[in-house]
Amino acid sequence: MKVNIETERSDLFDVSILIAMRIHIKGKVSEERLMLAFENAVKSHEILGTKVCIDEDGSAYYLISDDEEKTTGANGISFETSDWKDIIIREERKRFRLEEGEFLKAFVYEMDSIGCKVLFLMHHLGGDGKSLVYFIESFMRFLAENEIKDNRQNGKIEKESGESIESIEDSDLFDDFIFLEDTDSDIDILEIEKREKEKRIKEKQDLENNELKNYKMRTIPAGDLSDKALLDRVGPLAILPKIYNKKWIEDEKKRVFGFGDMDEAYETYWKDRKSVIYEYVISPERVEKILSKCKEWNIGFTAYVTTAYLRRLGRKLDIGFAVDAREDGNRAMGNQATGISIKCAYNYEKSFRQNAEKVQQLMTKKLEDDGSRNFILPFMAAFEPTLVDALNLEHAGSYRSKTSKKLANLLGYGKKTKDLSITNLTRLDIPENYGDLRIDYFSFIPPVISYGKNIIGISTLGKNTVMTIHRVK
C-alpha cells in the first residue's frame, strides 16, 4: 500500500531535518532489555516499517509492506561513550537511508548501575515532535514490561538507588536570555510535591491498566487543490503556485531529483557547517513564577518566551510557531503539525507585560482563524513536488535554477529565513514513571529546517522544563 507524501514534501530533500530528543532513565536496565524495547517499539508504529519511494515522474510516497511479519527496517539502537552533542554533529551529516526504511536511530551514550542516557534522532518524515514523544512512551513501556518480567523471574524487584541525574543549567546565560521579568510571588513547594506524588500514583495505575498498542501511521492529506478550492483555502496567494509551477515546467522541464541528488546536497551543505546547541534547565520554582505571571496577564508560556527574545534582540523579527494538528488526540506517528507566523518588534516605551500581551494577541488571531492556522499545508502542497525539492537543494547549495532561486528567496529558503522558530511541546502527555523506571530528564531539540535560523524547543515532563536553542553555523 502507498501513502503519498504531500503536505510533508518539504521534509524530503531538507538536509537539516533531524528531530532530537534525549532522556535520562533512572533505574537499572541492561543492553539486552534496551535493544528489545527499541525493537518492539519500532514494530508497534507502522510508519517505522515503511520505505520512501520516488518514482520517475517525481511522485514520492511511503510504501507499506503487505508482509504481516513486522520488521525494524533500518532503524537501530547502538551503545557508545561519546558526548550527545558530538553524536548529533556526527549524525546530522549523514543522510538517513529513507529508501531502506531508516527513520530513527537511538544512541545509549551513558550507562551505569543506576540508569542510562539515551539520544533519539528521527528524520522528520518519521513524524513530528509529538510522534517522537509517543515513540519514547512506547519504548519506555516495553522497557518496563521487560524489566518487570525479568524481576519476576528472579523473584525480586530492585529498589531505586543513587541520586537524581544532574542539572545542566547554565545560570548566567539562562538568566540573561529568558527570565527578564521576575516576580517575588511565593511558591508553595509542598503543594508542588503533593501534586507530583499524586501524578506518580496515577501514572503507575495507568501503566498497569494500559495495554501495549500498535499504531497505524497518520499524516495530513493535501485535500482538494483545484483552483477554486485552493483560492478558498489560501486566498489570493493561490496564484503563486500556479505561476511558479508553469515556470518550473516550461523553463526547467520539471526536473526530477533522486536519492543521489540528496547525497550530493548533504555533502555540499555540511562541508563547512555544524550544529550549535544550547540547553537550559528551568527550575520548578521558576516555572511556577512565570506561569503565575502568564495567568495574571492572560498569556501563554510561549508568548512570554517570545517576548523575552524580542526584548533582547531589539528589532522586528519574523517568528514561526509549530502548531499541533491532532484534532482527535491520536498517538500515532506521522506528520500531523501545521504552523503560524507573526512579525513583531519590542516596544521599549511599554512594559514587558504590554509587549507580551501584544505577542499573545497576534498569536491568538492566527490560531483562531482557520485560514491562517491551516494555510501553510495546502499552500506548499500546491507547488509542483519537484519544485519543492529544488527549494531545499537551492538552500543546500547543490542545485541552481532561475525559477527555484527566485521562489526560494520569496518563500524564505534563501538568505532571508525566519528569524526565530518555536516549538513548545508544553507538558508532555506521557507518564514520567514506568514501573520501577523513571524518565529523570527530557530534552527536545528541533531541527534547523531550511527556512529557519534560531530554533527553540521547549518541553516539560514531571518537574523538568527544558528549553533548547539550535542553530547551524
Side-chain angles (χ1 to χ4, degrees), residues 153-392:
Q153 289 171 359
N154 289 307
K156 64 178 181 178
I157 300 292
E158 295 190 11
K159 294 182 179 180
E160 293 179 350
S161 61
E163 299 296 326
S164 294
I165 298 177
E166 71 279 0
S167 166
I168 57 168
E169 180 172 356
D170 181 345
S171 58
D172 291 339
L173 182 57
F174 189 74
D175 288 342
D176 180 54
F177 175 74
I178 177 67
F179 291 103
L180 303 169
E181 190 84 2
D182 211 342
T183 174
D184 295 326
S185 59
D186 294 328
I187 301 300
D188 190 341
I189 302 301
L190 292 177
E191 181 62 27
I192 295 175
E193 291 178 348
K194 179 183 176 182
R195 291 201 303 264
E196 288 299 322
K197 184 177 180 180
E198 291 173 348
K199 183 171 177 286
R200 287 195 295 272
I201 292 172
K202 184 179 184 302
E203 286 174 348
K204 186 175 182 180
Q205 293 172 341
D206 290 343
L207 182 64
E208 292 172 349
N209 297 331
N210 188 57
E211 295 183 0
L212 296 169
K213 299 178 180 179
N214 291 319
Y215 296 94
K216 296 291 185 182
M217 65 178 290
R218 295 278 292 272
T219 60
I220 301 176
D224 188 354
L225 296 177
S226 64
D227 289 349
K228 184 180 183 305
L230 192 62
L231 184 62
D232 291 339
R233 296 173 74 183
V234 305
L237 285 178
I239 192 64
L240 207 60
K242 192 170 185 179
I243 292 172
Y244 276 90
N245 287 344
K246 184 179 180 181
K247 287 178 177 292
W248 179 246
I249 293 171
E250 291 179 353
D251 300 342
E252 312 299 334
K253 310 304 179 186
K254 193 182 174 181
R255 166 77 184 270
V256 175
F257 305 96
F259 292 109
D261 298 291
M262 214 179 281
D263 289 327
E264 184 182 349
Y266 269 78
E267 184 177 348
T268 302
Y269 183 78
W270 290 108
K271 184 178 180 181
D272 300 309
R273 293 183 177 93
K274 68 176 181 178
S275 277
V276 177
I277 301 169
Y278 301 96
E279 192 175 57
Y280 309 101
V281 178
I282 312 175
S283 69
E285 295 82 8
R286 204 160 233 176
V287 170
E288 287 286 331
K289 288 181 179 181
I290 295 300
L291 291 179
S292 174
K293 282 296 184 185
C294 289
K295 183 177 181 180
E296 178 186 344
W297 301 345
N298 196 29
I299 66 168
F301 191 84
T302 304
Y304 190 101
V305 172
T306 304
T307 307
Y309 206 102
L310 285 168
R311 186 163 90 168
R312 186 183 185 195
L313 291 188
R315 59 184 174 84
K316 191 172 186 178
L317 300 181
D318 187 357
I319 308 168
F321 302 92
V323 179
D324 181 23
R326 285 173 165 79
E327 295 182 353
D328 60 356
N330 72 82
R331 304 175 86 80
M333 292 184 70
N335 275 296
Q336 299 178 71
T338 181
I340 62 168
S341 65
I342 65 171
K343 292 183 179 180
C344 191
Y346 195 91
N347 186 341
Y348 292 91
E349 295 181 357
K350 295 184 177 181
S351 67
F352 186 91
R353 173 177 180 169
Q354 289 173 313
N355 278 276
E357 288 172 340
K358 177 62 176 179
V359 170
Q360 186 63 60
Q361 289 170 6
L362 293 172
M363 292 177 63
T364 300
K365 184 178 180 181
K366 290 287 185 77
L367 289 170
E368 291 183 348
D369 179 66
D370 287 342
S372 298
R373 190 177 67 252
N374 299 317
F375 168 82
I376 193 63
L377 298 183
F379 177 70
M380 290 303 297
F383 287 99
E384 277 288 336
T386 54
L387 176 53
V388 176
D389 300 340
L391 297 180
N392 281 303

Side-chain angles (χ1 to χ4, degrees), residues 11-55:
D11 297 335
L12 181 57
F13 278 82
D14 198 325
V15 292
S16 180
I17 200 65
L18 297 186
I19 301 173
M21 292 181 182
R22 70 186 194 96
I23 62 173
H24 298 176
I25 301 173
K26 188 174 183 182
K28 187 175 182 180
V29 293
S30 66
E31 288 191 9
E32 292 76 16
R33 296 294 184 266
L34 289 163
M35 292 173 68
L36 183 59
F38 183 85
E39 179 182 338
N40 287 333
V42 168
K43 289 180 179 179
S44 71
H45 290 275
E46 182 180 55
I47 198 168
L48 299 179
T50 68
K51 297 179 181 179
V52 172
C53 300
I54 303 175
D55 282 350

